[in-house]
Amino acid sequence: MTAPELQAANEPDDVWTEPQVTAVLVLADGTVIEGFGLGALGASAGEVCFNTSMTGYQEILTDPSYAGQIVTFTFPHIGNVGVNEEDIETVDMAADTGVRGVIVHAAITNPSNYRATHDLDSWLKARGIVGMSGLDTRALTVLIRDQGMPNAVICHSPDGSFDLDALKRQARALPPMVGQDLVPLVTGNRRYDWDEARWKWGKGFGTGDAEARFHVVALDYGAKRNILRLLTERGCKVTVLPPTASAEEVMALKPDGVFLANGPGDPAATGDYALPTIRAVLDARIPTFGICLGHQMLGLAIGASTTKMKQGHHGANHPVKEQATGKVEIVSMNHGFAVDASTLPANAEETHVSLFDGSNCGLRLTDRPAFSVQHHPEASPGPQDSHYLFDRFVAMMAESKAKTAA
């Protein structure tokens, strides 16, 4: 027996060996963070953000508002309930939602939920999303909180071979989020009708009322399915138009209300083609409701400005105060830009503020039937504290119809 064989024979069976690194996150400043690959193979570049949600990872990874971003989950156990075909938020279930990568702490386990149809790892592979685990996500979160959301490249290589110099150059070359119109990545240039309502236990998704009371035109900047479902559930016939729809196309449908959808990227860049339509809708006194990017677009349409946030707001546990009542709502958020409340014109008032940093989370016009919020009142799986905003929109449409009929 040779010396190496003798040594191996005398080693205990439980000797631990360092697992091979199969993934890296390379930041634009040259920092290299090692881990273990999951999901798709290859490299993908984007802006790294962190999300503090404990549930809803599938909804997050299919939310079009995350286009161009690599999502870091602060909750350590992601993937433990698997994925299914019902919890997808992008309208086109097979489409690229724009998410560029996913970072988790613990390795993905087999799913333990009766609704699961796939495990998260295979689902990420099928959708071409590169992921990694095994790194200190809390340390990465602190870095983002202190320094802002960095551009980076996430790379998964099973043999552990990486061209770090090339990955660093790729990360440095990635343009900043400011100035980027990412809406075309997550929307199609098409019109369609929507009649799916909310999911109910044991029944699945409902359908809209054939005798809908209101006709809502939704301008799609990256709309989430649950927003459209909540409108349908409240007696609305929903017609979705592409983000480039003209005011003439909107008016031709004679809507009772117009909805400005969520979406990704810099609102000022999207505004180059979207603001004229929004301004025409406001001038026509059509009831208008905006969420997330739609909120920012409404702000820009009335002359306010938007700013890039240092770390953004991403999570399902954000406290927001409604100014009129003092009520505090726990809400879901996902945004890296915000309306600058100091730039709101005299005919607009701030309705909601973040209790984390005081940033603007809502506005309404005092001379026209229009309001919007930065957070996601439709959030699935929750919280549901802000569902009342959809009722407020319906009441606004009912009041407008009554005035027209009088």
Side-chain angles (χ1 to χ4, degrees):
M1 181 178 289
T2 65
E5 290 173 334
L6 180 62
Q7 179 181 355
N10 288 305
E11 285 181 348
D13 293 337
D14 60 352
V15 169
W16 183 83
T17 58
E18 183 78 26
Q20 182 184 20
V21 170
T22 56
V24 292
L25 180 71
V26 180
L27 307 187
D29 66 1
T31 300
V32 178
I33 304 173
E34 298 179 336
F36 311 114
L38 55 91
L41 303 181
S44 185
E47 179 185 71
V48 186
C49 66
F50 65 83
N51 187 295
T52 57
S53 299
M54 297 174 66
T55 60
Y57 54 81
Q58 185 180 353
E59 291 90 338
I60 291 165
L61 294 175
T62 56
D63 179 352
S65 296
Y66 279 105
Q69 293 185 304
I70 299 169
V71 181
T72 303
F73 288 96
T74 61
F75 186 67
H77 301 292
I78 297 296
N80 50 354
V81 296
V83 294
N84 59 65
E85 282 69 45
E86 294 180 324
D87 292 342
I88 292 174
E89 278 294 344
T90 182
V91 172
D92 186 346
M93 297 176 70
D96 173 15
T97 62
V99 170
R100 290 293 168 252
V102 56
I103 300 171
V104 300
H105 174 67
I108 295 175
T109 60
N110 290 326
S112 58
N113 187 282
Y114 77 98
R115 296 177 65 229
T117 57
H118 302 283
D119 63 274
L120 179 58
D121 185 39
S122 63
W123 183 84
L124 291 171
K125 285 185 174 72
R127 298 183 76 88
I129 301 174
V130 180
M132 65 186 294
S133 66
L135 65 160
D136 188 342
T137 51
R138 291 188 177 185
L140 180 56
T141 297
V142 170
L143 183 150
I144 295 170
R145 190 164 54 203
D146 292 345
Q147 302 179 21
M149 295 179 283
N151 284 343
V153 177
I154 184 173
C155 185
H156 176 192
S157 175
D159 64 3
S161 177
F162 305 98
D163 185 341
L164 294 180
D165 289 337
L167 293 175
K168 290 176 183 179
R169 288 194 298 271
Q170 185 180 356
R172 287 195 299 268
L174 190 67
M177 193 64 74
V178 174
Q180 289 198 56
D181 173 25
L182 300 182
V183 168
L185 295 178
V186 296
T187 59
N189 190 28
R190 65 189 180 100
R191 166 186 164 178
Y192 60 92
D193 296 324
W194 181 273
D195 67 352
E196 184 179 89
R198 288 178 68 194
W199 185 91
K200 294 183 179 178
W201 191 277
K203 297 181 180 180
F205 294 110
T207 56
D209 187 347
E211 303 297 325
R213 295 179 295 155
F214 307 102
H215 183 196
V216 173
V217 168
L219 293 174
D220 182 12
Y221 307 121
K224 293 172 64 178
R225 298 172 74 89
N226 212 48
I227 291 175
L228 304 180
R229 293 181 190 125
L230 291 182
L231 290 171
T232 299
E233 189 176 74
R234 284 162 172 76
C236 298
K237 170 188 174 183
V238 181
T239 301
V240 183
L241 294 184
T244 55
S246 67
E248 291 74 20
E249 291 175 285
V250 174
M251 303 302 180
L253 294 172
K254 302 186 186 313
D256 298 307
V258 171
F259 174 72
L260 310 177
N262 60 290
D266 186 344
T270 304
D272 285 345
Y273 55 83
L275 293 184
T277 298
I278 298 173
R279 290 179 179 131
V281 167
L282 295 176
D283 290 341
R285 301 297 196 272
I286 299 173
T288 303
F289 176 31
I291 289 176
C292 191
L293 181 64
H295 163 70
Q296 298 161 4
M297 301 296 288
L298 179 60
L300 291 172
I302 60 174
S305 62
T306 54
T307 59
K308 180 73 164 67
M309 305 176 76
K310 181 179 180 181
Q311 65 191 42
H313 287 165
H314 311 276
N317 55 353
H318 285 248
V320 165
K321 185 174 78 170
E322 185 181 32
Q323 300 284 57
T325 63
K327 181 180 68 173
V328 176
E329 305 162 31
I330 302 301
V331 305
S332 282
M333 284 192 171
N334 171 25
H335 61 107
F337 290 81
V339 173
D340 183 350
S342 68
T343 65
L344 289 173
N347 66 329
E349 69 176 23
E350 185 175 54
T351 58
H352 297 75
V353 296
S354 166
L355 294 186
F356 278 159
D357 60 12
S359 60
N360 174 263
C361 291
L363 67 88
R364 78 173 188 92
L365 302 188
T366 58
D367 59 347
R368 280 167 285 184
F371 72 101
S372 60
V373 291
Q374 181 61 72
H375 48 284
H376 284 270
E378 85 294 339
S380 177
Q384 299 180 0
D385 296 25
S386 302
H387 274 194
Y388 70 90
L389 292 167
F390 290 90
D391 299 323
R392 184 173 292 177
F393 182 41
V394 168
M396 183 179 285
M397 289 189 288
E399 182 180 357
S400 178
K401 287 189 72 169
K403 287 181 180 178
T404 302

